[in-house]
PDB file of all heavy atoms in Angstrom:
ATOM      1  N   PHE A 458      83.637  95.232 102.914  1.00 98.00           N
ATOM      2  CA  PHE A 458      82.538  95.698 102.091  1.00 98.00           C
ATOM      3  C   PHE A 458      81.286  94.898 102.376  1.00 98.00           C
ATOM      4  O   PHE A 458      81.357  93.753 102.872  1.00 98.00           O
ATOM      5  CB  PHE A 458      82.901  95.583 100.585  1.00 98.00           C
ATOM      6  CG  PHE A 458      84.066  96.421 100.205  1.00 98.00           C
ATOM      7  CD1 PHE A 458      85.136  95.807  99.571  1.00 98.00           C
ATOM      8  CD2 PHE A 458      84.070  97.759 100.382  1.00 98.00           C
ATOM      9  CE1 PHE A 458      86.255  96.587  99.140  1.00 98.00           C
ATOM     10  CE2 PHE A 458      85.181  98.561 100.015  1.00 98.00           C
ATOM     11  CZ  PHE A 458      86.284  97.939  99.364  1.00 98.00           C
ATOM     12  N   PRO A 459      80.080  95.434 102.062  1.00 98.00           N
ATOM     13  CA  PRO A 459      78.849  94.680 102.261  1.00 98.00           C
ATOM     14  C   PRO A 459      78.915  93.348 101.479  1.00 98.00           C
ATOM     15  O   PRO A 459      79.446  93.277 100.350  1.00 98.00           O
ATOM     16  CB  PRO A 459      77.810  95.606 101.657  1.00 98.00           C
ATOM     17  CG  PRO A 459      78.380  97.013 101.782  1.00 98.00           C
ATOM     18  CD  PRO A 459      79.842  96.837 101.625  1.00 98.00           C
ATOM     19  N   SER A 460      78.354  92.311 102.073  1.00 97.00           N
ATOM     20  CA  SER A 460      78.416  90.993 101.434  1.00 97.00           C
ATOM     21  C   SER A 460      77.762  90.923 100.067  1.00 97.00           C
ATOM     22  O   SER A 460      78.146  90.162  99.225  1.00 97.00           O
ATOM     23  CB  SER A 460      77.738  89.941 102.389  1.00 97.00           C
ATOM     24  OG  SER A 460      76.398  90.296 102.607  1.00 97.00           O
ATOM     25  N   SER A 461      76.766  91.811  99.846  1.00 98.00           N
ATOM     26  CA  SER A 461      76.088  91.820  98.542  1.00 98.00           C
ATOM     27  C   SER A 461      77.033  92.266  97.389  1.00 98.00           C
ATOM     28  O   SER A 461      76.769  91.993  96.251  1.00 98.00           O
ATOM     29  CB  SER A 461      74.866  92.733  98.577  1.00 98.00           C
ATOM     30  OG  SER A 461      75.217  94.096  98.868  1.00 98.00           O
ATOM     31  N   TRP A 462      78.111  92.930  97.760  1.00 98.00           N
ATOM     32  CA  TRP A 462      79.064  93.389  96.726  1.00 98.00           C
ATOM     33  C   TRP A 462      80.040  92.297  96.299  1.00 98.00           C
ATOM     34  O   TRP A 462      80.704  92.423  95.301  1.00 98.00           O
ATOM     35  CB  TRP A 462      79.942  94.600  97.247  1.00 98.00           C
ATOM     36  CG  TRP A 462      79.154  95.807  97.577  1.00 98.00           C
ATOM     37  CD1 TRP A 462      77.802  96.010  97.635  1.00 98.00           C
ATOM     38  CD2 TRP A 462      79.733  97.099  97.943  1.00 98.00           C
ATOM     39  NE1 TRP A 462      77.494  97.286  97.972  1.00 98.00           N
ATOM     40  CE2 TRP A 462      78.668  97.971  98.207  1.00 98.00           C
ATOM     41  CE3 TRP A 462      81.080  97.513  98.137  1.00 98.00           C
ATOM     42  CZ2 TRP A 462      78.909  99.319  98.599  1.00 98.00           C
ATOM     43  CZ3 TRP A 462      81.272  98.831  98.475  1.00 98.00           C
ATOM     44  CH2 TRP A 462      80.193  99.724  98.734  1.00 98.00           C
ATOM     45  N   ILE A 463      80.116  91.187  97.109  1.00 98.00           N
ATOM     46  CA  ILE A 463      81.226  90.213  96.940  1.00 98.00           C
ATOM     47  C   ILE A 463      80.822  89.074  96.062  1.00 98.00           C
ATOM     48  O   ILE A 463      79.699  88.522  96.185  1.00 98.00           O
ATOM     49  CB  ILE A 463      81.641  89.692  98.318  1.00 98.00           C
ATOM     50  CG1 ILE A 463      81.907  90.871  99.291  1.00 98.00           C
ATOM     51  CG2 ILE A 463      82.879  88.849  98.178  1.00 98.00           C
ATOM     52  CD1 ILE A 463      82.893  91.859  98.878  1.00 98.00           C
ATOM     53  N   VAL A 464      81.693  88.674  95.177  1.00 98.00           N
ATOM     54  CA  VAL A 464      81.488  87.537  94.295  1.00 98.00           C
ATOM     55  C   VAL A 464      82.714  86.648  94.320  1.00 98.00           C
ATOM     56  O   VAL A 464      83.832  87.144  94.559  1.00 98.00           O
ATOM     57  CB  VAL A 464      81.197  87.968  92.847  1.00 98.00           C
ATOM     58  CG1 VAL A 464      79.871  88.738  92.759  1.00 98.00           C
ATOM     59  CG2 VAL A 464      82.313  88.836  92.257  1.00 98.00           C
ATOM     60  N   ALA A 465      82.527  85.354  94.113  1.00 98.00           N
ATOM     61  CA  ALA A 465      83.634  84.419  94.191  1.00 98.00           C
ATOM     62  C   ALA A 465      84.216  84.017  92.774  1.00 98.00           C
ATOM     63  O   ALA A 465      85.358  83.690  92.688  1.00 98.00           O
ATOM     64  CB  ALA A 465      83.221  83.174  94.928  1.00 98.00           C
ATOM     65  N   THR A 466      83.379  84.076  91.766  1.00 98.00           N
ATOM     66  CA  THR A 466      83.821  83.577  90.461  1.00 98.00           C
ATOM     67  C   THR A 466      83.472  84.607  89.369  1.00 98.00           C
ATOM     68  O   THR A 466      82.530  85.454  89.587  1.00 98.00           O
ATOM     69  CB  THR A 466      83.129  82.266  90.113  1.00 98.00           C
ATOM     70  OG1 THR A 466      81.691  82.493  90.025  1.00 98.00           O
ATOM     71  CG2 THR A 466      83.411  81.228  91.205  1.00 98.00           C
ATOM     72  N   PRO A 467      84.045  84.465  88.174  1.00 98.00           N
ATOM     73  CA  PRO A 467      83.605  85.362  87.134  1.00 98.00           C
ATOM     74  C   PRO A 467      82.083  85.200  86.773  1.00 98.00           C
ATOM     75  O   PRO A 467      81.431  86.156  86.417  1.00 98.00           O
ATOM     76  CB  PRO A 467      84.476  84.937  85.913  1.00 98.00           C
ATOM     77  CG  PRO A 467      85.703  84.369  86.584  1.00 98.00           C
ATOM     78  CD  PRO A 467      85.261  83.726  87.868  1.00 98.00           C
ATOM     79  N   ALA A 468      81.591  83.968  86.874  1.00 98.00           N
ATOM     80  CA  ALA A 468      80.194  83.738  86.598  1.00 98.00           C
ATOM     81  C   ALA A 468      79.336  84.526  87.593  1.00 98.00           C
ATOM     82  O   ALA A 468      78.300  85.142  87.206  1.00 98.00           O
ATOM     83  CB  ALA A 468      79.857  82.256  86.662  1.00 98.00           C
ATOM     84  N   GLU A 469      79.640  84.466  88.906  1.00 98.00           N
ATOM     85  CA  GLU A 469      78.907  85.252  89.898  1.00 98.00           C
ATOM     86  C   GLU A 469      79.002  86.721  89.634  1.00 98.00           C
ATOM     87  O   GLU A 469      78.032  87.466  89.769  1.00 98.00           O
ATOM     88  CB  GLU A 469      79.452  84.929  91.302  1.00 98.00           C
ATOM     89  CG  GLU A 469      79.088  83.574  91.843  1.00 98.00           C
ATOM     90  CD  GLU A 469      79.549  83.382  93.261  1.00 98.00           C
ATOM     91  OE1 GLU A 469      79.824  84.374  93.918  1.00 98.00           O
ATOM     92  OE2 GLU A 469      79.570  82.200  93.697  1.00 98.00           O
ATOM     93  N   ALA A 470      80.151  87.202  89.206  1.00 98.00           N
ATOM     94  CA  ALA A 470      80.298  88.649  88.868  1.00 98.00           C
ATOM     95  C   ALA A 470      79.403  89.027  87.706  1.00 98.00           C
ATOM     96  O   ALA A 470      78.812  90.059  87.712  1.00 98.00           O
ATOM     97  CB  ALA A 470      81.767  88.907  88.549  1.00 98.00           C
TER      98      ALA A 470
END
Side-chain angles (χ1 to χ4, degrees):
F458 298 125
S460 59
S461 61
W462 296 8
I463 311 304
V464 295
T466 65
E469 288 185 15

